[in-house]
Amino acid sequence: FFFELEHPKVKIYPMQYARCVGNLHVIGTEFPYKVKGTVRIEEALLTENFKSSSKTGRALRSSKFFPGKGTTPTGQLQLFDLDLDVVSDRGIIVKNGLFDAEVKGNLKVLHHITTPRLLGDITVLQGKLLFKDQFFTIQSAELHFTNPSVLDPEYSLSAQTEVGGYKILLISNGK
């Protein structure tokens, strides 16, 4: 099967919506079918906090303890195995209790829809970060997903604010 995406507005966890274009191929004769292709995100909104959500019970977290290939967390057979190149030059908005920012990225999405694994980079184009009840303007920030077994990216962040006439520079990096 071959699917061509032309600006559909779709709901893909953890995003509220994503508008994208691209080509997807469904390949195989038995489960899980391989879904390969390239998707360009033109616009998206992510409002999920980066921890467990009481509404959904789902979380953006490490995947190293997730079930192995072919099963869901409940032991059911997976229908699809992902191998997607996802790119965006701009237009992905992250707006939650920590960030109000626009990002771009170049990711390879692997594994299953319920337990995606990532390789690639995300860069903040502009935005603000809330830290210690102060809003900081992000000067630069990057995430590097280097291990598809663990959702634990390397990151670097530089942000600045002014409080009481003093400029404060926040620098952080690590895993």
Side-chain angles (χ1 to χ4, degrees), residues 71-152:
T71 61
T72 66
T74 60
Q76 298 171 336
L77 184 65
Q78 281 286 348
L79 296 178
F80 301 106
D81 194 17
L82 302 175
D83 184 2
L84 301 174
D85 293 312
V86 179
V87 296
S88 180
D89 296 329
R90 61 177 176 79
I92 299 175
I93 305 299
V94 178
K95 191 169 188 148
N96 57 29
L98 185 61
F99 289 103
D100 184 356
E102 180 182 13
V103 303
K104 69 177 185 173
N106 188 353
L107 294 173
K108 171 122 356 236
V109 181
L110 303 167
H111 208 251
H112 306 303
I113 293 171
T114 56
T115 56
R117 300 190 177 164
L118 305 175
L119 286 170
D121 303 304
I122 296 174
T123 303
V124 174
L125 297 173
Q126 62 179 346
K128 295 191 181 295
L129 160 74
L130 181 62
F131 181 72
K132 298 285 186 180
D133 297 325
Q134 293 293 324
F135 283 100
F136 285 75
T137 300
I138 298 171
Q139 296 173 320
S140 67
E142 295 181 345
L143 293 168
H144 304 285
F145 295 89
T146 58
N147 183 350
S149 298
V150 180
L151 189 57
D152 189 20

Side-chain angles (χ1 to χ4, degrees), residues 1-40:
F1 293 102
F2 172 76
F3 298 96
E4 187 172 346
L5 304 172
E6 291 189 28
H7 310 286
K9 192 172 183 179
V10 294
K11 169 91 170 122
I12 303 170
Y13 179 80
M15 296 183 187
Q16 296 304 111
Y17 73 88
R19 188 178 315 275
C20 35
V21 296
N23 298 307
L24 299 177
H25 300 270
V26 180
I27 304 164
T29 57
E30 59 185 49
F31 297 124
Y33 297 111
K34 175 75 78 178
V35 179
K36 292 186 72 142
T38 301
V39 176
R40 175 172 296 282

